[in-house]
Amino acid sequence: QKEVEQDPGPLSVPEGAIVSLNCTYSNSAFQYFMWYRQYSRKGPELLMYTYSSGNKEDGRFTAQVDKSSKYISLFIRDSQPSDSATYLCAMSSPGGGADGLTFGKGTHLIIQP
Amino acid sequence: NAGVTQTPKFQVLKTGQSMTLQCAQDMNHNSMYWYRQDPGMGLRLIYYSASEGTTDKGEVPNGYNVSRLNKREFSLRLESAAPSQTSVYFCASTQSWRSSYNEQFFGPGTRLTVL
């Protein structure tokens, strides 16, 4: 079983819709959770960073962590065509290892104008 | 600040040829990483360097070697390229893997095709 599971999509929604992207994980030691956005032919860039459980909001984006269920989500409100990208979840544990973050495989999101 | 830079951006090799992918960061980061990204496979860690002077194998190290030239630079070498190494290669860095805030910053990638 992979440590981090993420549906690869593609997920296609109309402009203005609320988007929900999710990851599940198996390692209960994970405490730091990130969402990266990767546009086509570009490197990933950090979108949201959360520590432990709870919600974090930044503009149209909300990151949610439920450690009891080992489940994290990214919500995008009022989605725009410019949000079309691949979204990767990533996570790590405190001092968890020099090999760094554990990534999901990414969900390809398409926002239709 | 340029962040993480990679050269070249594109490369086409013939089977058996060798090449070195270059990566440099100007953020004074201690830890650096090389990933490959293939359709449906996500990011897979090839090698990493936790700090200057150290390198370790990641998930898919076979066919590759690395050199942490100094704190800024981390190169990836393909000694005898194979078609299975056709991929997009990303270099990344972070302040330190020991930090509680361990965001990785990525370069723009190198698209490599091996014929």
Side-chain angles (χ1 to χ4, degrees):
Chain A
Q1 184 185 3
K2 296 287 186 184
E3 279 203 289
V4 178
E5 299 280 357
Q6 186 176 10
D7 187 332
L11 176 63
S12 183
V13 301
E15 182 177 355
I18 295 174
V19 175
S20 172
L21 304 169
N22 311 292
C23 289
T24 59
Y25 63 95
S26 57
N27 186 347
S28 58
F30 287 147
Q31 291 209 38
Y32 305 103
F33 303 93
M34 305 176 194
W35 286 96
Y36 281 80
R37 179 174 60 195
Q38 184 178 20
Y39 290 116
S40 180
R41 296 182 174 266
K42 301 288 187 183
E45 56 181 359
L46 185 70
L47 186 61
M48 297 284 284
Y49 182 99
T50 55
Y51 170 68
S52 195
S53 286
N55 291 0
K56 183 175 182 179
E57 189 173 319
D58 184 1
R60 297 184 295 109
F61 299 88
T62 299
Q64 198 171 77
V65 175
D66 182 349
K67 290 189 69 182
S68 62
S69 301
K70 298 191 180 68
Y71 189 87
I72 69 170
S73 301
L74 178 71
F75 297 97
I76 307 174
R77 291 183 300 281
D78 187 25
S79 56
Q80 305 294 311
S82 58
D83 296 326
S84 297
T86 296
Y87 292 79
L88 299 99
C89 61
M91 46 199 78
S92 67
S93 54
D99 57 348
L101 302 174
T102 300
F103 285 90
K105 291 184 178 180
T107 298
H108 181 42
L109 175 65
I110 301 167
I111 308 297
Q112 303 163 336
Chain B
N1 274 0
V4 179
T5 56
Q6 292 182 236
T7 55
K9 287 187 168 52
F10 303 93
Q11 185 71 48
V12 178
L13 292 177
K14 295 180 180 178
T15 297
Q17 288 185 318
S18 62
M19 77 162 296
T20 300
L21 282 65
Q22 306 285 356
C23 173
Q25 50 89 11
D26 63 1
M27 297 173 283
N28 201 36
H29 285 173
N30 291 291
S31 304
M32 298 185 73
Y33 306 85
W34 275 107
Y35 294 92
R36 60 178 290 174
Q37 188 176 41
D38 304 288
M41 302 295 287
L43 287 165
R44 291 186 291 171
L45 184 64
I46 305 171
Y47 269 93
Y48 61 97
S49 172
S51 60
E52 185 179 358
T54 69
T55 60
D56 283 288
K57 296 178 180 179
E59 181 186 354
V60 288
N62 290 347
Y64 305 95
N65 284 301
V66 291
S67 295
R68 184 74 183 266
L69 303 169
N70 48 54
K71 191 172 185 179
R72 291 186 62 248
E73 299 172 285
F74 188 37
S75 64
L76 178 72
R77 183 160 178 84
L78 286 70
E79 290 291 351
S80 179
S84 61
Q85 294 178 303
T86 294
S87 187
V88 181
Y89 291 85
F90 289 102
C91 177
S93 70
T94 190
Q95 175 56 43
S96 171
W97 68 272
R98 297 181 187 277
S99 299
S100 56
Y101 189 81
N102 52 1
E103 172 190 359
Q104 289 188 15
F105 294 79
F106 285 81
T110 294
R111 292 185 170 272
L112 175 67
T113 301
V114 183
L115 301 175

